[in-house]
């Protein structure tokens, strides 16, 4: 039986916890996945296998002879990291063509299907000679890492690595394989974009796991339905079980919490104070905030269009409110992402030109990744907008209310993962309904103090109910149960 408390864990993800520059300097990885796994890796004995994502990473991997080396965690403790170098062309095909945009776009419903995607040799080769190869490289590293360990536990992460479990299973049938998917699982028809062979291979890849985890119950339901619709497998929806090749795969929801204590500690750093001073000096009556990666799924353009509409319909708010948008450029090697950034900048220019005055810029766009600057804004917003079209969890929806000091109102898209937990205390919007978002902005800015307090308190209560340690423990408890041969039970 796998005993996870004592046995070393192997974590596998594309993005690792740290990135090395060519001069050897280290920067911490960003994003929800890295935050979640850093907590896991620093509290258990774990080896974290990740792709070497640039030349600096590759140099560091070679210096370590391709083996794992120790890294100090910012949250205390240390863990071992093994960076895997793949062929450069294969990696580019894997990351910039197949994983992003192909899979990412399918799972966030981003394809404008009357126009794209065309599946040609370019895409198929990106799968065959990119996605598969990088998955194989990581699977080989896993197999090497667990060599000699009996019944090891391997936790694979995200959409980049759907083939890894099967590649490991073939060589280590005794391994306990667990896969957490950090993005939505879209409904079955969205997957029909992919040629059947590729689709089947991806599903068979992920179904080689013992447990597959998602952020929400709704993604879990979609996954089960897909297994039934696309592969005609036997599925127990009540127990969350897929039966395949005489095995059972448990499908579970483990919503990712934030570390409220650590988030608040960051918000109290001296550099945050400097940003706050500046922000408060320039502050109008009201501050609306959004903090996101500049990703198409985040629905940035409709957010600005709604603000445009709000200013037009409520001129009494002109010069009294600023919309601050801190967007971190992302995946700029993927053409769709580059174009999206250009469209964002163009729309901001239009709205600012339409409503701005010589000393008031309605939208303040900050295209950078600066967590301390974001924290300063979190502390003082009146309204926090998270209007993603469809999105995995949206940890920003949890970070804002924990740091905010003004009982700010959260406007939350009903299609974010966080909405399943926070919807009751947020102003819920349909992310495509621009007028509804404009109305929600007005409602938030004119809400009574009592209602703001009630909602903010409700949000804080839910957000602090669980922490990342619970998230890890819930998953490891299921690993132990299933490894011990327990039967799946109704999930209720
Ligand atoms: O699950 C999606 C995710 O891995 C997030 O954790 C993170 O915010 C984002 O994607 C990072 O994407 P990338 O590794 O391509 O920068």
């Amino acid at each position: 039986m796998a005993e996870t408390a004592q046995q070393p864990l192997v974590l596998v993800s594309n993005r690792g916890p740290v990135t090395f520059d060519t001069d050897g300097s280290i920067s911490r990885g960003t994003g929800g996945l890295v935050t979640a796994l850093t907590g896991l890796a620093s509290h258990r004995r774990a080896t974290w296998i990740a792709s070497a994502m640039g030349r600096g990473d590759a140099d560091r991997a070679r210096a370590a002879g391709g083996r794992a080396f120790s890294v100090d965690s910012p949250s205390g403790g240390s863990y071992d990291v093994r960076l895997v170098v793949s062929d450069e062309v294969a990696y580019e095909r894997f990351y910039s063509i197949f994983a992003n945009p192909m899979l990412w776009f399918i799972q966030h419903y981003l394809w404008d299907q009357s126009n794209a995607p065309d599946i040609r040799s370019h895409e198929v080769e990106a799968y065959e000679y990119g996605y598969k190869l990088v998955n194989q490289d990581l699977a080989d590293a896993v197999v090497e890492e667990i060599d000699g360990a009996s019944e090891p536990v391997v936790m694979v992460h995200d959409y980049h690595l759907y083939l890894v479990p099967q590649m490991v299973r073939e060589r280590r049938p005794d391994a306990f394989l667990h896969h957490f998917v950090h993005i939505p699982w879209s409904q079955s028809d969205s997957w029909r974009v992919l040629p059947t062979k590729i689709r089947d291979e991806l599903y068979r890849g992920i179904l080689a796991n013992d447990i597959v985890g998602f952020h929400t119950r709704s993604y879990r339901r979609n996954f089960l339905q897909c297994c039934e619709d696309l592969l005609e497998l036997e599925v127990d929806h009540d127990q969350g079980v897929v039966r395949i090749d005489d095995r059972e795969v448990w499908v579970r929801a483990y919503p990712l919490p934030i570390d409220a204590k650590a988030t608040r500690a960051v918000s109290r750093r001296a550099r945050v104070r400097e940003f706050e001073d500046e922000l408060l000096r320039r502050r109008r009556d009201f501050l609306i905030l959004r903090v996101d990666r500049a990703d198409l799924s985040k629905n940035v353009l409709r957010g600005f269009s709604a603000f445009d509409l709000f200013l037009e319909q409520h001129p009494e708010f002109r010069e009294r409110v600023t919309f601050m948008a801190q967007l971190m450029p992302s995946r700029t090697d993927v053409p769709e992402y580059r174009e999206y950034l250009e469209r964002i900048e163009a729309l901001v220019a239009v709205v600012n030109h339409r409503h701005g005055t010589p000393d008031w810029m309605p939208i303040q766009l900050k295209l950078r990744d600066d967590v301390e600057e974001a924290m300063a804004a979190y502390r003082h917003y009146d309204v926090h907008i998270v209007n993603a079209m469809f999105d995995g969890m949206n940890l920003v929806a949890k970070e804002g209310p924990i740091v905010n000091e003004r009982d700010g109102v959260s406007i939350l898209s009903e299609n974010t993962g966080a909405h399943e937990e926070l919807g009751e205390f947020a102003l819920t919007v349909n992310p495509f309904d621009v007028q509804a978002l404009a109305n929600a902005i007005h409602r938030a800015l004119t809400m009574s103090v009592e209602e703001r307090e009630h909602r903010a308190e409700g949000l804080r209560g839910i957000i602090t109910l669980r922490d990342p340690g619970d998230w890890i423990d819930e998953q490891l408890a299921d690993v132990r149960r299933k490894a011990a041969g327990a039967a799946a039970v109704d999930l209720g």
Side-chain angles (χ1 to χ4, degrees):
M1 180 185 75
E3 186 36 81
T4 54
Q6 278 103 48
Q7 276 202 299
L9 284 176
V10 173
L11 310 176
V12 203
S13 64
N14 172 53
R15 185 171 292 280
V18 282
T19 318
F20 293 87
D21 215 331
T22 38
D23 65 6
S25 60
I26 303 187
S27 50
R28 304 278 156 200
T30 52
L33 177 150
V34 167
T35 311
L37 266 65
T38 304
L40 173 49
S42 40
H43 291 106
R44 311 255 160 184
R45 215 185 116 207
T47 302
W48 188 336
I49 299 177
S51 294
M53 292 186 73
R55 192 147 309 152
D57 280 4
D59 291 348
R60 185 65 188 84
R62 281 187 205 103
R67 298 272 155 194
F69 53 90
S70 176
V71 167
D72 291 332
S73 162
S75 49
S78 67
Y79 46 86
D80 291 338
V81 174
R82 175 173 174 152
L83 295 175
V84 177
V85 184
S86 289
D87 172 76
E88 246 178 75
V89 176
Y91 190 83
E92 153 77 15
R93 285 169 148 170
F94 154 82
Y95 185 81
S96 298
I97 303 174
F98 199 77
N100 310 305
M102 185 62 75
L103 289 176
W104 181 273
F105 274 36
I106 288 174
Q107 294 194 238
H108 293 81
Y109 305 97
L110 289 172
W111 286 121
D112 170 12
Q113 287 185 18
S114 63
N115 287 312
D118 289 349
I119 309 286
R120 300 172 191 266
S121 56
H122 179 68
E123 287 70 26
V124 173
E125 283 167 11
Y127 171 71
E128 291 292 339
Y129 309 116
Y131 194 82
K132 267 191 185 170
L133 291 192
V134 173
N135 273 250
Q136 191 64 63
D137 289 340
L138 286 157
D140 290 346
V142 170
V143 170
E144 227 179 86
E145 209 57 53
I146 60 180
D147 188 33
S150 76
E151 300 181 15
V153 178
V154 179
M155 300 181 105
V156 184
H157 284 261
D158 237 352
Y159 60 101
H160 311 87
L161 306 181
Y162 291 149
L163 300 177
V164 164
Q166 193 177 24
M167 290 167 168
V168 174
R169 171 77 66 211
E170 276 161 9
R171 286 148 74 192
R172 285 300 301 266
D174 63 317
F176 193 99
L177 303 179
H178 182 288
H179 202 134
F180 191 87
V181 179
H182 292 254
I183 64 176
W185 200 273
S186 51
Q187 291 168 351
S188 33
D189 281 346
S190 66
W191 288 90
R192 296 188 196 276
V193 159
L194 289 174
T196 314
K197 176 183 172 286
I198 296 181
R199 201 174 68 209
D200 286 358
E201 285 181 11
L202 292 173
Y203 272 80
R204 293 205 164 263
I206 195 169
L207 285 166
N209 285 291
D210 294 284
I211 299 180
V212 181
F214 296 99
H215 282 306
T216 70
R217 295 187 298 275
S218 139
Y219 307 152
R220 184 189 74 206
R221 278 195 297 273
N222 287 349
F223 182 79
L224 293 167
Q225 195 60 48
C226 283
C227 291
E228 211 166 59
D229 293 348
L230 302 171
L231 283 93
E232 296 178 5
L233 292 171
E234 190 193 330
V235 168
D236 185 324
H237 291 268
D238 297 329
Q239 297 186 344
V241 171
V242 182
R243 297 201 171 81
I244 179 168
D245 304 337
D246 299 328
R247 291 187 309 110
E248 278 195 352
V249 183
W250 288 9
V251 184
R252 296 284 179 273
Y254 310 102
L256 178 62
I258 60 161
D259 184 337
K261 209 168 132 215
T263 308
R264 284 183 177 133
V266 175
S267 79
R268 286 193 287 264
R269 285 183 190 159
R271 191 161 165 271
V272 175
R273 281 284 138 79
E274 289 169 26
F275 283 114
E276 272 184 278
D277 293 345
E278 172 68 9
L279 187 147
L280 292 173
R281 239 194 329 273
R282 306 175 74 195
R283 195 190 145 89
R284 300 277 159 158
D285 292 347
F286 302 106
L287 176 65
I288 301 174
L289 176 70
R290 74 171 307 139
V291 177
D292 282 303
R293 243 174 356 96
D295 193 290
L296 288 83
S297 63
K298 310 290 179 188
N299 207 15
V300 177
L301 297 171
R302 285 194 191 86
F304 291 149
S305 297
F307 185 56
D308 182 23
L309 200 56
F310 161 78
L311 289 175
E312 199 180 300
Q313 294 170 343
H314 298 282
E316 69 277 15
F317 277 94
R318 286 196 186 150
E319 305 215 41
R320 295 181 61 207
V321 56
T322 306
F323 188 160
M324 188 181 283
Q326 182 150 344
L327 302 178
M328 169 183 150
S330 175
R331 304 176 187 166
T332 44
D333 289 343
V334 180
E336 283 85 346
Y337 283 75
R338 273 202 307 274
E339 279 163 32
Y340 192 56
L341 265 185
E342 285 166 18
R343 291 176 63 202
I344 288 172
E345 288 181 290
L347 181 57
V348 169
V350 168
V351 177
N352 281 344
H353 184 255
R354 187 174 293 149
H355 301 285
T357 62
D359 65 355
W360 173 60
M361 196 161 59
I363 301 178
Q364 231 184 307
L365 180 63
K366 300 176 176 188
L367 293 179
R368 49 188 174 258
D369 175 18
D370 190 325
V371 77
E372 284 151 350
E373 191 174 11
M375 287 292 167
Y378 274 155
R379 287 178 84 131
H380 298 286
Y381 69 74
D382 299 285
V383 182
H384 185 206
I385 295 185
V386 183
N387 66 321
M389 290 189 279
F390 293 95
D391 211 0
M393 173 47 80
N394 279 111
L395 287 178
V396 290
K398 297 185 174 180
E399 285 169 2
I402 277 305
V403 172
N404 185 257
E405 289 173 353
R406 291 173 184 256
D407 289 336
V409 180
S410 292
I411 297 182
L412 191 55
S413 153
E414 60 189 344
N415 302 335
T416 57
H419 191 267
E420 224 171 64
E421 294 166 272
L422 305 180
E424 184 186 349
F425 293 101
L427 290 187
T428 298
V429 286
N430 169 336
F432 302 97
D433 189 337
V434 176
Q435 181 64 63
L437 180 52
N439 296 345
I441 292 174
H442 184 254
R443 172 141 187 247
L445 292 180
T446 53
M447 191 179 278
S448 71
V449 174
E450 295 72 30
E451 186 176 349
R452 285 171 67 116
E453 261 173 28
H454 169 72
R455 287 178 181 272
E457 214 172 283
L459 290 171
R460 287 191 293 266
I462 294 172
I463 296 165
T464 50
L465 217 53
R466 291 163 65 247
D467 68 21
D470 297 315
W471 183 74
I472 292 158
D473 289 344
E474 289 155 16
Q475 293 176 74
L476 293 179
D478 277 344
V479 169
R480 276 192 291 273
R481 267 198 290 275
K482 189 165 193 302
V489 290
D490 274 7
L491 297 171

